[in-house]
């Protein structure tokens, strides 16, 4: 009887196992394999070599690009966390009606009914030299001429990242806050805790799993995004995703694969470090 149960369990897990092997493990294994191949201007040589990794770690340009990628991820994370935590806190603790909570939450999702490209490009006429933002600044007398750094700059890239990925921070934080036992907040208030003390010692610690899930979403998405950097910087900035995209466009697949492997390892190490501090399995 026990053997039959084990057999049924293996049979139930088999379809998911096959899917993971076919669409996750094998593609990653193929990328890792190709990353050790050699390439010339005319051909790809399936020979084992560390040439791609040696060039990757020895290039000063690559170092600057990785640093820029980390900076984008850190700034976007800080901005999305601030906005996401504020929105989630307002929805969870200041909106009493469940119907209103759902309505306001759905309102936050409206921009996501369109594609990322459309939402990103919509900032270009707003931030442009003759756009709405510059026109408003000049009408208010805050500047005599258009501000150049609003578009095709790091500011525009970060703004687009925050716009695109804030909801990925709002959803897990809001979900965690809704699970907080309100009696804990009442107990803290009855014991004389101020609003800030309740926030710091009760709400934030209990919201850490949601914050960590949102952080994983935002950091991984920002570090792998290349199209946003390309359009919003006017091709004047680069991140690791753009390096991979450029190598693929040049048919330099081994170099692109090596960069992808390093990026994947970096993201996995970052996630592993974060999981050391918070057990997100409570939220899964």
């Amino acid at each position: 009887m026990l053997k039959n149960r084990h057999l049924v369990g293996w049979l139930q897990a088999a379809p998911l196992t096959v899917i993971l092997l076919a669409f996750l493990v094998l593609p990653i294994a193929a990328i890792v394999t190709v990353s050790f191949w050699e390439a010339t201007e005319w051909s790809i040589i399936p020979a084992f070599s560390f040439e791609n990794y040696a060039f990757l770690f020895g290039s000063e340009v690559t170092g600057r690009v990785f640093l820029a990628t980390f900076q984008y991820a850190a700034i976007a994370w800080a901005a999305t966390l601030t906005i996401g935590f504020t929105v989630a806190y307002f929805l969870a603790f200041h909106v009493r009606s469940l119907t209103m909570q759902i309505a306001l939450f759905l309102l936050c999702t409206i921009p996501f009914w369109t594609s990322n490209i459309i939402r990103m490009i919509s900032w270009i006429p707003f931030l442009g030299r003759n756009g709405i933002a510059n026109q408003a600044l000049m009408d208010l007398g805050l500047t005599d001429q258009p501000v150049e750094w609003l578009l095709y700059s790091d500011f525009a890239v970060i703004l687009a990242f925050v716009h695109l990925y804030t909801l990925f921070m709002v959803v897990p934080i809001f979900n965690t806050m809704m699970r907080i036992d309100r009696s804990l907040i009442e107990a803290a208030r009855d014991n004389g805790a101020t609003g800030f003390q309740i926030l710091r010692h009760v709400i934030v610690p209990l919201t850490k799993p949601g914050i960590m899930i949102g952080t994983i979403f935002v950091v991984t998405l920002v570090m792998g995004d290349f199209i946003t950097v390309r359009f919003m910087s006017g091709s004047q900035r680069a991140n690791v995703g753009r390096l991979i995209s450029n190598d693929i466009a040049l048919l330099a697949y081994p170099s692109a694969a090596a960069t992808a492997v390093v990026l994947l390892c970096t993201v996995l190490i970052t996630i592993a470090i974060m999981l050391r501090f918070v057990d997100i399995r409570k939220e899964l």
Side-chain angles (χ1 to χ4, degrees), residues 61-112:
V61 174
T62 304
R64 290 201 301 267
V65 171
F66 268 89
L67 179 60
T69 302
F70 295 143
Q71 290 175 341
Y72 284 144
I75 297 173
W77 168 79
T80 54
L81 176 60
T82 302
I83 298 172
F85 188 92
T86 303
V87 172
Y89 182 85
F90 175 78
L91 292 176
F93 296 105
H94 289 277
V95 179
R96 301 299 181 183
S97 171
L98 179 60
T99 303
M100 186 59 67
Q101 284 181 338
I102 295 174
L104 291 176
F105 182 80
L106 291 176
L107 184 64
C108 294
T109 67
I110 288 178
F112 287 79

Side-chain angles (χ1 to χ4, degrees), residues 27-28 42 51 69 93 99 120 134-135 246 262 269:
I28 292 177
W42 303 278
E51 178 183 349
T69 302
F93 296 105
T99 303
M120 175 184 60
N134 269 315
Q135 191 61 48
N246 292 340
V262 173
I269 291 172

